[in-house]
Amino acid sequence: MEVLYKEYLITDDKERINRQVVLDYLAQSYWANRRPPDRIIRSIENSHCYGVYHNDKQIGYARVITDEATVYYLCDVFVMKEYQGQGIGKKLIEIITNSEEYEWMTGILGTHDAHGLYEQYGFETDSKRFMRRMPQGRKA
C-alpha cells in the first residue's frame, strides 16, 4: 500500500523503515524510552509497520500488532516535530483505521496526550474494562 498525501508518501513497505530513525525517536518518547533497542528492532520485524517519507527521508511511523482476525493494537505512532501540524499524523491514522484489513477488528491503543486525535477515528476511552501487566524482566 502506498498513499501520496501532499508531498509525503505513506507506505506499509517494511523494508523502507529506517530502523535508526525509529530507535532514535522512541528513545526520546515517554512510552518507549526504556525499551532496549534489540526489542524495538524485534517489534518492527513482528508487526505491521507504516512509514511516512518526505523526499525519501522517514518523518513518521506507526506500528500495528494483530491476530489478523479480531483485534489490533496501534502503537509507536509518531511524526517528527518539524513536520507536525500539517495533518500527516491524522492521515496516517485515517489510513490505518479505514483499512479493509482492520475494518471488522476491535482497535486498542494507549496514550497520555492524544485522546482527542484518536477519538476522531472512533476510539473511545475505556478505563474500566482494560487491564495491563507491565514487563517483569530485569534490565540488561
Side-chain angles (χ1 to χ4, degrees):
M1 176 280 308
E2 289 191 354
V3 174
L4 287 174
Y5 173 70
K6 299 181 181 179
E7 65 263 23
Y8 307 104
L9 172 67
I10 302 172
T11 179
D12 62 354
D13 180 356
K14 195 184 300 188
E15 297 305 312
R16 292 187 68 151
I17 300 296
N18 183 325
R19 272 96 172 133
Q20 194 60 55
V21 167
V22 175
L23 287 168
D24 291 346
Y25 192 94
L26 293 182
Q28 302 300 314
S29 72
Y30 70 80
W31 68 87
N33 61 5
R34 298 186 68 180
R35 267 188 228 158
D38 63 313
R39 295 270 175 181
I40 293 172
I41 296 300
R42 216 160 102 197
S43 73
I44 293 169
E45 292 168 358
N46 294 309
S47 302
H48 297 189
C49 299
Y50 297 80
V52 183
Y53 304 89
H54 182 241
N55 298 328
D56 291 326
K57 173 186 174 189
Q58 185 169 347
I59 57 121
Y61 177 76
R63 186 166 68 88
V64 176
I65 305 163
T66 181
D67 64 2
E68 300 187 12
T70 61
V71 67
Y72 69 90
Y73 176 64
L74 177 60
C75 55
D76 295 341
V77 178
F78 69 81
V79 172
M80 298 291 194
K81 188 172 182 80
E82 59 269 27
Y83 291 91
Q84 293 176 3
Q86 300 180 51
I88 299 166
K90 288 181 179 182
K91 188 65 174 180
L92 179 59
I93 300 306
E94 175 189 306
I95 288 168
I96 293 168
T97 57
N98 288 336
S99 165
E100 285 185 34
E101 186 172 7
Y102 308 121
E103 183 178 22
W104 290 101
M105 294 186 200
T106 298
I108 57 174
L109 60 83
T111 185
H112 286 294
D113 58 359
H115 294 84
L117 168 67
Y118 294 110
E119 286 170 352
Q120 295 175 50
Y121 301 95
F123 287 91
E124 301 170 347
T125 302
D126 186 352
S127 60
K128 295 186 183 207
R129 181 174 173 200
F130 294 100
M131 299 176 70
R132 71 175 178 181
R133 179 180 183 269
M134 296 303 290
Q136 304 296 307
R138 291 185 295 268
K139 202 171 182 185

